[in-house]
Amino acid sequence: MPKLMEEEVFMAFATYATVVLLKMLLMAPLTAYCRFTRGAFANDEDVALKPAEERKKLVRTHPDVERVRRCHLNDLENVVPFVLVGLLYALTGPQLSTALLHFRVFAGCRIFHSISYIFALPQPSRALAWLVGLLVTLSMAYSVLSKVLVL
């Protein structure tokens, strides 16, 4: 095993980054499931095997599909920066307990954000989950910059 993978902080980062990346990847099959169960497809070729009169009804948007798509987009906007900043943060050698707090809070926030988005939980549940996750990423970014910034 490479030496980096023996570092506790890096292994913790790899674990939680994988968790949130897998959660993000699972949003695509969830979108497909919603498309099929709601009969709402995005493109003509998606329903090419259906009769012509039925095709016009199936190429449409549906609120449930759009909700899952927006949740997925929000993951893309937040998980990718977490992974990039988190990698740099892990490489700066932070305390394990502090790093675990950052990684666990972010992962928990993203999972709760998706649950609150998909099941339309009342606000501010989703907004708070998003905000705390953003603050975690900004905290790690500040830590990286404070350790490596040379003026």
Side-chain angles (χ1 to χ4, degrees), residues 15-16 30 37 48-49 61 65 84 88 93 99 102-103 109 112 136-137:
T15 300
Y16 288 99
L30 183 58
T37 59
L49 299 177
T61 60
V65 175
L84 295 173
L88 296 173
H102 280 95
F103 304 153
C109 284
F112 182 73
V136 166
T137 302

Side-chain angles (χ1 to χ4, degrees), residues 6-24:
E6 294 172 12
E7 297 289 329
E8 288 181 303
V9 170
F10 187 79
M11 288 179 59
F13 165 72
T15 300
Y16 288 99
T18 301
V19 166
V20 294
L21 286 168
L22 283 173
K23 191 217 74 61
M24 184 176 72

Side-chain angles (χ1 to χ4, degrees), residues 44-52 54-55:
D44 289 328
E45 64 270 16
D46 297 339
V47 293
L49 299 177
K50 301 284 185 181
E54 192 178 343
R55 275 184 263 174

Side-chain angles (χ1 to χ4, degrees), residues 12-150:
F13 165 72
T15 300
Y16 288 99
T18 301
V19 166
V20 294
L21 286 168
L22 283 173
K23 191 217 74 61
M24 184 176 72
L25 286 171
L26 290 174
M27 296 305 294
L30 183 58
T31 302
Y33 171 79
C34 284
R35 285 195 184 285
F36 280 97
T37 59
R38 290 3 180 238
F41 297 90
N43 305 297
D44 289 328
E45 64 270 16
D46 297 339
V47 293
L49 299 177
K50 301 284 185 181
E53 61 277 356
E54 192 178 343
R55 275 184 263 174
K56 290 181 182 178
K57 296 176 188 173
L58 293 174
V59 178
R60 63 187 179 93
T61 60
H62 189 281
D64 294 344
V65 175
E66 292 307 307
R67 179 171 286 281
V68 175
R69 288 183 67 236
R70 288 190 306 270
C71 184
H72 192 183
L73 179 60
N74 194 277
D75 272 350
L76 289 167
E77 294 167 350
N78 290 275
V79 171
V80 172
F82 166 79
V83 169
L84 295 173
V85 172
L87 174 61
L88 296 173
Y89 174 74
L91 294 174
T92 64
Q95 291 256 8
L96 178 61
S97 60
T98 306
L100 281 171
L101 181 64
H102 280 95
F103 304 153
R104 288 174 177 167
V105 168
F106 184 86
C109 284
R110 291 315 303 170
I111 291 167
F112 182 73
H113 180 273
S114 293
I115 290 168
S116 64
Y117 213 140
I118 292 166
F119 294 108
L121 299 181
Q123 285 286 26
S125 58
R126 187 177 82 236
L128 288 173
W130 169 81
L131 180 61
V132 172
L134 176 65
L135 291 174
V136 166
T137 302
L138 291 174
S139 172
M140 291 188 305
Y142 175 80
S143 179
V144 170
L145 289 174
S146 67
K147 289 184 180 177
V148 300
L149 192 59
V150 180

